[in-house]
Amino acid sequence: VLREFDSFKRVTSWEEWLDVTKATFPEYFPNWVVSNLLGLLLLAIAFYIPAFSRKSWGLLMILASVVNAYMMATDPTCYIEFGVLAVPPMQRFIYSRYYARPELIVLPIAICQFLIGVELLFDERSPRLRKIALGSLIIFFIGLIFLGIGSAFPSSLLYALTMAKCWPKL
């Protein structure tokens, strides 16, 4: 059963989206700060110790997969709450197919997060698999940009840059 939230209302223009984002930012500010500081920290570490940064991301991806799977099992509508913060084209997607069955998208993402996390954390012998994992995360993090401050923008850009910095050298 889906819960109803005020945030399920769509915005109709970019100006309205900007107003909603500004109004809701204080509520998301603590998470935004933590996400962006973590992004800066792991990016800085990637410049000096890329293997440590990569393994940290492996652990974070495994943790994210567990959290996403748990949230889908207990409260699938929690992901819909962020829809109002997404840019209008992404809102249309979230409030259409995604609204009806969020688990059809979030659970495959959780599985991919887990597999990528295992690859980044444990595989030391396959630069090819590591490139696939890192490339997948770069694409994923760039896709998160469209969720706006609901994904702590611009932290996802920092995360994508960190993945690029962890790219294995040939």
Side-chain angles (χ1 to χ4, degrees), residues 2 76 80 93-104:
L2 292 175
I80 308 300
F93 172 74
I94 290 171
Y95 290 135
S96 60
R97 295 170 194 89
Y98 188 66
Y99 178 84
R101 302 288 305 273
E103 66 276 5
L104 295 178

Side-chain angles (χ1 to χ4, degrees), residues 111-130:
I111 292 167
C112 290
Q113 286 174 320
F114 181 80
L115 295 173
I116 289 169
V118 168
E119 167 59 32
L120 294 179
L121 191 59
F122 297 113
D123 187 18
E124 294 294 331
R125 292 180 281 170
S126 178
R128 183 179 177 150
L129 282 176
R130 190 173 316 143

Side-chain angles (χ1 to χ4, degrees), residues 10-136:
R10 291 185 212 178
V11 297
T12 56
S13 68
W14 286 95
E15 292 79 24
E16 189 179 352
W17 170 75
L18 191 57
D19 291 342
V20 169
T21 299
K22 286 177 185 175
T24 14
F25 187 72
E27 178 184 343
Y28 292 100
F29 184 71
N31 294 336
W32 184 88
V33 169
V34 169
S35 294
N36 282 284
L37 287 177
L38 178 65
L40 286 171
L41 176 66
L42 289 172
L43 179 59
I45 291 170
F47 276 94
Y48 300 102
I49 316 168
F52 179 79
S53 186
R54 178 179 41 83
K55 289 181 181 289
S56 298
W57 272 108
L59 189 60
L60 286 170
M61 287 294 102
I62 291 170
L63 179 63
S65 73
V66 170
V67 169
N68 282 331
Y70 174 78
M71 293 308 293
M72 276 296 102
T74 59
D75 184 16
T77 58
C78 70
Y79 292 89
I80 308 300
E81 294 177 49
F82 297 107
V84 74
L85 302 172
V87 296
M90 180 64 91
Q91 280 188 11
R92 284 192 285 284
F93 172 74
I94 290 171
Y95 290 135
S96 60
R97 295 170 194 89
Y98 188 66
Y99 178 84
R101 302 288 305 273
E103 66 276 5
L104 295 178
I105 293 177
V106 177
L107 288 178
I109 288 172
I111 292 167
C112 290
Q113 286 174 320
F114 181 80
L115 295 173
I116 289 169
V118 168
E119 167 59 32
L120 294 179
L121 191 59
F122 297 113
D123 187 18
E124 294 294 331
R125 292 180 281 170
S126 178
R128 183 179 177 150
L129 282 176
R130 190 173 316 143
K131 285 179 182 181
I132 292 170
L134 291 169
S136 299

